[in-house]
């Protein structure tokens, strides 16, 4: 019986994931105000993964290399609270800060960069005007002042375009293979792309129209709002924000 119990204990020990075993060890949190006690995942002696850190303040959420990183909630000893995204110990991304001013509870919700509030969160891409486009890809490139559009048909880059008209509200136009775009643009930016292309069965040339509009002005972090449109199926809608 004793030998059987020993085997069971040994088997259970070897089945415990390494990350859980590491969480039992002394795990450091590198942010001074929450570095008192820590419970959670650990990697190489540092808080890494989901955890709770308590010191003068409290943080519950995701860690990376000892610092809040990802989504988490930070509560100050004075009662203020931030719920949202973090990067390397700083508020960075979408989040909401709850605080008091003259006895009134206030909130500051939106985009944060390097621990600073920079404004309301940008809207997600929406569709407002598309006709005959099977699939497309829209990218912001370089320092954010360059946009590139690629259209597809039957899963491949559509390079067979006739009577192409591509007009943008600012910047210099370029066309490279099946991709086209504008560089040196000024926000807000709008462009319209029209052309004739084969249908999927290559039996008929059809008129195609794509309208892109960004009504949001560029901040430190640029977001391009892609707006395309209609009651057509947009399940193949793609965007890319490097």
């Amino acid at each position: 019986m004793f030998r059987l119990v020993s085997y069971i204990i040994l088997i259970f020990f070897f089945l415990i994931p390494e990350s859980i075993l590491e969480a039992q060890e002394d795990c450091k949190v590198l942010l001074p105000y929450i570095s008192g006690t820590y419970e959670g995942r650990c990697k190489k002696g540092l808080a890494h993964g989901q955890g709770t850190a308590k010191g003068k303040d409290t943080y519950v959420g995701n860690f990376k290399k000892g610092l809040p990183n990802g989504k988490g909630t930070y509560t100050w000893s004075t009662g203020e609270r931030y719920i949202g995204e973090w990067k390397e110990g700083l508020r960075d991304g979408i989040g909401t800060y709850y605080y008091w001013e003259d006895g009134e509870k206030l909130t500051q919700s939106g985009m944060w960069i390097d621990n600073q509030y920079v404004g309301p969160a940008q809207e997600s891409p929406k569709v407002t005007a598309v006709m005959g486009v099977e699939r497309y890809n829209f990218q912001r490139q370089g320092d954010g002042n360059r946009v590139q559009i690629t259209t597809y048909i039957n899963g491949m880059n559509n390079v067979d375009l006739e009577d192409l008209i591509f007009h943008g509200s600012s910047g210099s136009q370029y066309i490279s293979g099946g991709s086209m775009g504008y560089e040196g643009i000024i926000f807000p930016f709008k462009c319209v792309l029209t052309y004739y292309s084969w249908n999927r069965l290559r039996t008929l040339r059809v008129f195609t129209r794509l309208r892109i509009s960004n009504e949001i002005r560029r901040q430190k972090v640029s977001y391009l709002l892609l707006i395309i449109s209609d009651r057509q199926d947009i399940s193949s809608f793609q965007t890319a924000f490097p």
Side-chain angles (χ1 to χ4, degrees), residues 151-225:
T151 61
Y152 299 86
I153 188 167
N154 292 330
M156 300 180 65
N157 193 336
N158 189 2
V159 296
D160 189 4
L161 310 178
E162 287 187 357
D163 297 333
L164 173 65
I165 299 176
F166 188 34
H167 176 72
S169 58
S170 64
S172 301
Q173 182 187 129
Y174 72 90
I175 298 176
S176 177
S179 298
M180 59 211 78
Y182 275 83
E183 51 191 1
I185 64 176
I186 299 174
F187 292 82
F189 175 74
K190 297 180 180 180
C191 73
V192 176
L193 169 66
T194 63
Y195 58 87
Y196 283 89
S197 175
W198 290 109
N199 60 9
R200 298 187 66 177
L201 298 177
R202 296 188 67 83
T203 58
L204 179 69
R205 286 275 185 179
V206 295
F207 179 74
T208 303
R209 186 167 189 250
L210 187 67
R211 175 179 294 170
I212 297 171
S213 175
N214 174 33
E215 297 293 351
I216 300 174
R217 297 184 181 277
R218 186 171 185 264
Q219 299 177 359
K220 183 176 180 181
V221 170
S222 299
Y223 283 78
L224 292 180
L225 179 60

Side-chain angles (χ1 to χ4, degrees), residues 54-187:
K54 296 181 179 181
K56 182 179 180 180
D57 303 329
T58 301
Y59 173 81
V60 180
N62 202 65
F63 286 83
K64 184 177 180 180
K65 297 181 179 179
L67 293 170
N69 199 92
K71 293 184 178 180
T73 300
Y74 191 106
T75 305
W76 282 263
S77 59
T78 50
E80 293 92 342
R81 177 176 295 183
Y82 171 81
I83 302 174
E85 297 175 329
W86 295 77
K87 183 178 179 182
E88 298 178 356
L90 301 175
R91 289 171 288 183
D92 198 290
I94 303 298
T96 302
Y97 175 55
Y98 301 88
Y99 63 103
W100 280 264
E101 190 174 285
D102 297 328
E104 182 182 0
K105 187 175 182 180
L106 303 174
T107 61
Q108 207 168 35
S109 184
M111 177 67 67
W112 297 75
I113 300 173
D114 294 337
N115 224 33
Q116 300 296 318
Y117 179 71
V118 298
Q122 310 291 352
E123 296 182 24
S124 300
K126 297 178 182 178
V127 176
T128 68
V130 63
M131 182 174 67
V133 182
E134 178 184 326
R135 186 165 67 90
Y136 53 86
N137 180 271
F138 177 74
Q139 292 182 315
R140 174 176 59 87
Q141 299 180 334
D143 64 357
N145 287 336
R146 174 186 170 111
V147 295
Q148 178 171 296
I149 305 163
T150 306
T151 61
Y152 299 86
I153 188 167
N154 292 330
M156 300 180 65
N157 193 336
N158 189 2
V159 296
D160 189 4
L161 310 178
E162 287 187 357
D163 297 333
L164 173 65
I165 299 176
F166 188 34
H167 176 72
S169 58
S170 64
S172 301
Q173 182 187 129
Y174 72 90
I175 298 176
S176 177
S179 298
M180 59 211 78
Y182 275 83
E183 51 191 1
I185 64 176
I186 299 174
F187 292 82

